[in-house]
Amino acid sequence: MTAFEMTSIERVQAAIDLQQPDRVPVDLHNFQPAAYATGMPLSEVFQDGELLAQAMLDAWREFGHDMILLENGTACNAQACGVEVAYRDDAAPAAHKPVIQNLTDVSDLEVPDPYTTFPMNEILKATKILSKEIGDQVWICARADQGPMDLSAQLRGMSELMLDIALEEQDDMIHALLDFSRRVATRYAYALIECGGRSTSIGEPIAGPDLLSPKHYKKYPWIHEKRMVDELKEKHIILHNHICGNTIPIVEEFIGTGAQVLEVDHKSDPVKIKAAARHKTCLLGNIDTGLLMDGKPDDVDDACKHLIEVWKPDSGFILGPGCALGTTTPADNIHALVESAKKYGVYS
């Protein structure tokens, strides 16, 4: 057994470094329930950095998790690039109208300055506040929002981009759009780290096999995800990569991006992905958010115990939900998730 108790920061760092911590660290992808707990409309919280920081701070004080995953949804980068976004009172904001009608229009787009462009500047404000208040006590992963594929789909329109990819007639322009989206996320990532984030993260659900074939994943978004990882690594910045759905068909490529942390959805077989990722990268997840929303604390405890048994060996494991927690996820279930790591996740 580890001879001393680690801090949350030491615990997370050890897991990312594929070293053995004192116990399995815990992440909460809980920006929606944290905002909901304030009693204010989510639309207000997600547009105000001070309100968002306070919501995440209050949640950390209640649950005591090791990692805060900070964001305001999946449309931050898109809105900063001019996409029309709807802010909802009971859920995360959603992108609506794309800003380019043709792939050739990508040349008209400009990478936004995160420090002056809404809503990036509000998330930077939240990052600064959390870093000042508790940055020495908890690992802050300040999310760079959507990655190359997802932001490209928001800028172009998902159906339109999928058709462009299926036709394979404008490869240079598709890559130009993906490259632009990568540069947006990378510039934002730098700013988030400058403001106090210890790591950053991108979401790429549209890049997964549930929506995109493994062939097209390797041909298009994978190249730009890897480029982003490599560029951030040059600056010693840790990147998490999140792909929704069952990632087993692309598991080697997913790992091959070089991301130091893979945020894994519950649809991915934990045994298979652990076997593939062992000694290569850190896995974060992959408790079913549906179970966390609708199950009982005992159900959550059982699921966490089973996952810990599979993923705990050799370290490289951060326990957490497989995706963003639903707005009304019961607090008792979140407590059960956090406490399970203390009961079952001690290394010896």
Side-chain angles (χ1 to χ4, degrees), residues 48-339:
D48 187 310
E50 292 184 6
L51 293 178
L52 179 59
Q54 189 61 51
M56 301 304 289
L57 179 59
D58 290 345
W60 174 76
R61 285 173 173 156
E62 176 175 356
F63 300 112
H65 42 300
D66 299 295
M67 175 186 285
I68 290 174
L69 210 166
L70 177 65
E71 63 173 311
N72 78 332
T74 62
C76 177
N77 291 359
Q79 186 173 11
C81 292
V83 173
E84 182 178 310
V85 169
Y87 280 85
R88 302 172 288 183
D89 290 344
D90 58 354
H96 278 291
K97 293 183 180 179
V99 292
I100 60 173
Q101 301 302 311
N102 299 288
L103 286 172
T104 52
D105 295 338
V106 68
S107 60
D108 298 328
L109 299 174
E110 294 184 4
V111 175
D113 179 351
Y115 287 99
T116 60
T117 307
F118 182 84
M120 289 176 169
N121 56 352
E122 291 298 323
I123 310 305
L124 294 182
K125 183 190 296 182
T127 305
K128 286 181 179 179
I129 293 170
L130 287 173
S131 178
K132 180 181 179 180
E133 293 292 327
I134 55 172
D136 60 344
Q137 301 175 67
V138 62
W139 185 284
I140 300 170
C141 175
R143 190 160 213 170
D145 197 53
Q146 300 309 94
M149 181 66 184
D150 262 45
L151 179 55
S152 293
Q154 292 172 325
L155 296 171
R156 172 80 172 111
M158 187 169 78
S159 297
E160 291 78 6
L161 181 59
M162 289 299 192
L163 181 59
D164 294 333
I165 288 173
L167 293 174
E168 297 183 312
E169 293 176 349
Q170 296 178 282
D171 278 2
D172 289 347
M173 296 309 303
I174 293 170
H175 282 292
L177 176 58
L178 290 165
D179 182 69
F180 170 79
S181 297
R182 176 193 61 80
R183 288 186 285 121
V184 171
T186 300
R187 178 66 189 90
Y188 186 28
Y190 287 148
L192 290 162
I193 298 301
E194 289 165 358
C195 289
R198 288 186 179 270
S199 62
T200 189
S201 171
I202 53 171
E204 286 279 74
I206 294 173
D210 286 4
L211 292 170
L212 189 69
S213 72
K215 167 194 167 185
H216 286 133
Y217 173 68
K218 185 65 179 290
K219 182 176 180 179
Y220 295 109
W222 181 86
I223 293 170
H224 301 274
E225 291 170 12
K226 187 176 189 309
R227 189 171 297 164
M228 184 174 179
V229 171
D230 290 344
E231 187 172 342
L232 292 175
K233 277 184 175 178
E234 290 179 0
K235 304 292 186 180
H236 307 289
I237 294 173
I238 297 166
L239 180 69
H240 309 204
N241 192 3
H242 174 71
I243 297 180
C244 290
N246 176 19
T247 53
I248 298 304
I250 58 166
V251 66
E252 296 300 333
E253 291 80 9
F254 193 19
I255 295 167
T257 63
Q260 295 97 318
V261 180
L262 300 184
E263 297 176 7
V264 183
D265 197 351
H266 77 277
K267 293 181 181 179
S268 295
D269 184 295
V271 174
K272 291 180 180 178
I273 203 162
K274 174 65 177 182
R278 180 175 274 117
H279 307 308
K280 296 177 182 176
T281 191
C282 178
L283 299 176
L284 189 159
N286 70 336
I287 302 301
D288 186 352
T289 54
L291 174 70
L292 287 160
M293 173 71 81
D294 300 322
K296 302 297 183 184
D298 285 348
D299 301 324
V300 174
D301 185 86
D302 288 343
C304 292
K305 180 180 180 182
H306 174 70
L307 182 64
I308 290 169
E309 289 172 351
V310 175
W311 277 8
K312 180 185 165 189
D314 304 321
S315 187
F317 169 35
I318 300 169
L319 178 67
C323 200
L325 291 174
T327 302
T328 57
T329 301
D332 286 349
N333 286 352
I334 300 175
H335 278 295
L337 170 67
V338 174
E339 291 304 312

Side-chain angles (χ1 to χ4, degrees), residues 31-32 35 42-48 52 71-72 87 91-93:
F31 68 101
Q32 290 184 113
L42 271 62
S43 58
E44 292 185 23
V45 178
F46 291 150
Q47 295 186 77
D48 187 310
L52 179 59
E71 63 173 311
N72 78 332
Y87 280 85

